[in-house]
Amino acid sequence: MEYTIKKFAQLSGVSARTLRYYDEIDLLKPARINSAGYRIYGAKEVERLQQILFYRQLDLQLAEIKNILDAPDFDVEQALNDQWQQLSQKKADIERLLTAVEQTLDHYQGEKKMSDQEKFMAFKKQKITENESKYGAEIRTKYGEKTIDASNQRFLNSTAAQLQEKATTEQQLFEKLQAYVQNTQSDLAKEIFDLHKQWLSYTWTSYSAEAHRGLGLMYVSDERFTRYYDRHFVGAARALNDIIQQFAH
Amino acid sequence: MEYTIKKFAQLSGVSARTLRYYDEIDLLKPARINSAGYRIYGAKEVERLQQILFYRQLDLQLAEIKNILDAPDFDVEQALNDQWQQLSQKKADIERLLTAVEQTLDHYQGEKKMSDQEKFMAFKKQKITENESKYGAEIRTKYGEKTIDASNQRFLNSTAAQLQEKATTEQQLFEKLQAYVQNTQSDLAKEIFDLHKQWLSYTWTSYSAEAHRGLGLMYVSDERFTRYYDRHFVGAARALNDIIQQFAH
DNA sequence: ATAGACCTTGCCGTAACGTTAAGGTCAAGA
DNA sequence: TCTTGACCTTAACGTTACGGCAAGGTCTAT
């Protein structure tokens, strides 16, 4: 039951490099070294490695594992409690990161959807007036409510209403922003900031000043955003960002 | 609006070392180097650093951030989606680790609680027989059901019942284990293994063969476990571990 | 002129290995 | 017996995002 390093590695499923490393840090020494300088492992080493792998599977640090295995009166339960605490902390951190990424993604997709929706709404509006003028009331009795699922319609209505609100907010925002760049008034700036924050609330589920400021910076640095905002008037993106940086804390 | 490295660091809240590192990896170069070789930063660098910090706050790698900021047509949305994927994966990993740690902790605490509960049950049993023999039926009408909240009682009953089952399983386990060490029969070994697995089911909410084997190794390597198992008979812990290693896959 | 605050580059250390390079060992077949 | 291929060894660099330290140059105020 003696193994050279490769046999031992294959037997246990770890790499030979890992075993050399464990030797180096005194976590798992070979049973002996033969005359050629080869590491030779035996049954006791198999067992110790199993234990190492058990604790490693719980993501404990190798130094911790060394403590657990080498100090006979080491408080394993305390170590596991610590590990639980650390993992819980990491989990909380990651959840925070996930929502931050989601917010940013929501925003990106919100921008895209917005312009698509705007096109769609404009198209629809045009169609309605077209149909009205062409066929009048007749068409509305022929098609209409009957063919559309009621709940689906309610959903579409509420989404449309929200989009309408958002669009209104946005329109106000740019009107005031244009007034602001032509004649700087600080009270107007605060109004604009509040409008932008409100506008954000249609896509962000929770607010963070840091993210808000980051977003402002993207308006001026990412040309897709700049183009979108400068569609209203030249310099809109930069003016908006200035205001955001001024008020978001 | 020109800053030496320390001013810039204080302004932005990162360390001077970090700024030197960002310079080194070409993530954020100073606006210029003055005659003394000092790094001088300006307004554009403030802005770029803000953007870096925005993405860093999402836990993106610096190389990734460099791509986003330097390649004008870089797909930021794709990058954020990737990041979301990675974070979700990490979260899933951590959740797996948490349950593994919890299982191990449950087991440790289960061992402790078990012996406490056993003491408690033995104590209670003794009290009941004492009282029965001393006061007979009289006492049961005097105290009893009336003073005890019914739902609480039900809970205690079910817990007690489970503990009873667990204790019975354990007793069977050790009877068969003792028979096994005196006269090795392989069919008995499988029975013992199944009993132990069943016994585990009273404390583990989900089963993993790897954890089972790890547990077996702890029986022989951690003296608190060894003592607990060798209370039944000498060599019990080792015999049980041998069987676990043989059957748990 | 000198002290103290600031700046520079260069290098080591972090965690747990993967990878590569240069060179020694072993068993088997020609 | 020689060679080949599989295996072994140590040494050293690379990974990530810096922290910390040392040796030495610069600036500002007293």
Side-chain angles (χ1 to χ4, degrees):
Chain A
M1 293 277 275
E2 297 209 314
Y3 312 99
T4 59
I5 200 164
K6 185 139 199 215
K7 301 280 182 191
F8 191 32
Q10 283 169 344
L11 168 74
S12 58
V14 306
S15 73
R17 178 65 177 97
T18 298
L19 292 174
R20 289 200 191 92
Y21 181 63
Y22 289 175
D23 181 6
E24 187 185 335
I25 65 172
D26 296 331
L27 177 59
L28 176 63
K29 294 294 210 187
R32 61 191 182 83
I33 307 280
N34 76 7
S35 58
Y38 288 18
R39 292 174 178 80
I40 307 294
Y41 295 89
K44 268 168 59 179
E45 287 68 39
V46 172
E47 198 168 301
R48 185 170 170 103
L49 182 55
Q50 298 273 7
Q51 295 180 252
I52 292 169
L53 295 180
F54 175 76
Y55 288 111
R56 198 182 66 165
Q57 162 230 352
L58 304 181
D59 210 35
L60 287 166
Q61 307 217 45
L62 297 185
E64 272 295 305
I65 297 178
K66 195 156 158 334
N67 282 336
I68 291 174
L69 298 185
D70 290 345
D73 58 347
F74 189 85
D75 192 342
V76 183
E77 206 172 321
Q78 183 57 46
L80 291 179
N81 267 319
D82 289 352
Q83 176 66 0
W84 190 87
Q85 287 287 344
Q86 284 179 33
L87 287 172
S88 296
Q89 182 59 50
K90 269 195 196 171
K91 186 183 167 189
D93 289 348
I94 286 181
E95 276 167 354
R96 196 173 41 72
L97 291 174
L98 270 173
T99 55
V101 172
E102 279 164 10
Q103 275 181 10
T104 311
L105 268 173
D106 276 1
H107 187 76
Y108 268 84
Q109 286 160 0
E111 298 293 279
K112 270 200 327 204
K113 264 191 208 145
M114 260 310 287
S115 47
D116 287 353
Q117 286 283 1
E118 277 172 351
K119 278 181 216 155
F120 173 72
M121 281 170 73
F123 174 77
K124 204 170 161 191
K125 211 166 162 186
Q126 195 193 345
K127 278 292 170 200
I128 287 168
T129 45
E130 264 180 22
N131 286 345
E132 283 286 338
S133 60
K134 269 192 194 163
Y135 310 101
E138 187 194 350
I139 196 97
R140 279 186 286 164
T141 52
K142 199 168 168 189
Y143 301 104
E145 294 83 3
K146 210 171 56 181
T147 55
I148 301 168
D149 173 58
S151 73
N152 202 4
Q153 181 62 36
R154 270 200 300 281
F155 172 72
L156 285 173
N157 283 346
S158 84
T159 302
Q162 274 204 329
L163 280 173
Q164 188 58 48
E165 284 178 40
K166 191 178 171 186
T168 307
T169 308
E170 193 175 337
Q171 200 187 333
Q172 286 176 15
L173 177 79
F174 281 104
E175 279 169 13
K176 290 187 196 264
L177 190 62
Q178 193 149 22
Y180 175 77
V181 295
Q182 281 161 12
N183 175 18
T184 306
Q185 299 158 283
S186 69
D187 54 338
L188 208 53
K190 182 68 167 69
E191 269 185 65
I192 291 164
F193 175 76
D194 288 337
L195 275 172
H196 189 251
K197 193 168 166 180
Q198 188 191 327
W199 179 80
L200 272 182
S201 75
Y202 291 107
T203 45
W204 284 11
T205 50
S206 79
Y207 176 78
S208 125
E210 196 170 8
H212 196 170
R213 292 173 60 192
L215 194 61
L217 287 164
M218 284 204 285
Y219 287 168
V220 293
S221 63
D222 187 315
E223 63 165 339
R224 283 164 303 184
F225 282 116
T226 311
R227 229 183 295 126
Y228 178 74
Y229 285 98
D230 281 3
R231 236 175 31 197
H232 295 83
F233 61 93
V234 181
R238 178 155 299 275
L240 184 53
N241 178 44
D242 288 348
I243 289 172
I244 290 169
Q245 301 305 326
Q246 191 181 336
F247 288 99
H249 295 302
Chain B
M1 295 276 276
E2 297 210 313
Y3 312 99
T4 59
I5 199 164
K6 186 139 200 214
K7 302 277 183 194
F8 190 33
Q10 283 169 346
L11 169 74
S12 58
V14 306
S15 73
R17 178 68 179 89
T18 297
L19 293 174
R20 289 201 191 91
Y21 180 63
Y22 288 175
D23 181 6
E24 186 186 335
I25 65 171
D26 296 331
L27 177 58
L28 176 64
K29 293 294 209 188
R32 61 190 182 82
I33 307 278
N34 76 6
S35 60
Y38 288 16
R39 291 174 179 81
I40 306 294
Y41 294 90
K44 266 170 60 179
E45 285 70 37
V46 172
E47 198 169 298
R48 186 169 169 103
L49 182 55
Q50 298 273 9
Q51 294 180 253
I52 290 170
L53 295 181
F54 175 76
Y55 288 111
R56 198 182 67 164
Q57 162 230 351
L58 304 181
D59 211 36
L60 287 165
Q61 307 217 48
L62 297 184
E64 196 65 30
I65 297 178
K66 193 156 160 334
N67 281 336
I68 291 175
L69 299 185
D70 290 345
D73 58 347
F74 189 85
D75 192 341
V76 183
E77 206 172 320
Q78 184 58 45
L80 290 178
N81 267 319
D82 289 353
Q83 175 67 358
W84 189 87
Q85 286 287 344
Q86 285 179 31
L87 287 172
S88 296
Q89 182 59 49
K90 270 194 195 172
K91 187 182 164 188
D93 289 348
I94 286 182
E95 276 167 354
R96 196 172 40 72
L97 292 174
L98 271 172
T99 55
V101 172
E102 279 163 11
Q103 275 182 9
T104 311
L105 268 173
D106 276 0
H107 188 76
Y108 268 85
Q109 286 158 1
E111 299 292 280
K112 272 201 323 204
K113 264 192 208 146
M114 259 311 285
S115 46
D116 289 352
Q117 287 282 1
E118 276 172 353
K119 279 182 215 152
F120 173 73
M121 280 171 72
F123 174 76
K124 204 171 161 190
K125 212 166 163 186
Q126 195 192 344
K127 279 291 172 203
I128 289 168
T129 44
E130 264 179 24
N131 286 345
E132 283 285 339
S133 59
K134 267 193 195 162
Y135 309 102
E138 187 193 350
I139 196 95
R140 279 185 287 165
T141 52
K142 200 169 167 190
Y143 302 104
E145 296 84 1
K146 211 171 56 182
T147 55
I148 300 166
D149 173 59
S151 73
N152 202 5
Q153 182 61 38
R154 271 201 299 281
F155 172 70
L156 285 174
N157 282 347
S158 85
T159 302
Q162 274 205 329
L163 281 173
Q164 188 59 49
E165 283 177 42
K166 190 177 171 186
T168 307
T169 307
E170 193 176 336
Q171 201 187 331
Q172 285 176 14
L173 177 79
F174 282 104
E175 278 169 15
K176 290 187 195 265
L177 190 62
Q178 194 151 23
Y180 175 75
V181 295
Q182 280 161 11
N183 178 16
T184 306
Q185 298 158 281
S186 70
D187 54 338
L188 209 51
K190 184 68 166 68
E191 269 185 63
I192 291 165
F193 175 76
D194 288 339
L195 276 172
H196 190 251
K197 193 168 167 182
Q198 189 191 326
W199 180 81
L200 272 182
S201 73
Y202 292 106
T203 45
W204 284 11
T205 49
S206 78
Y207 177 79
S208 122
E210 197 171 8
H212 196 170
R213 292 173 60 192
L215 195 60
L217 287 165
M218 285 205 283
Y219 287 167
V220 293
S221 63
D222 188 315
E223 62 165 340
R224 283 164 304 184
F225 282 115
T226 312
R227 228 184 294 125
Y228 178 74
Y229 284 98
D230 280 3
R231 238 174 32 197
H232 294 83
F233 61 93
V234 182
R238 179 156 296 276
L240 184 53
N241 178 43
D242 288 349
I243 289 171
I244 290 168
Q245 301 306 326
Q246 190 183 336
F247 289 99
H249 294 303

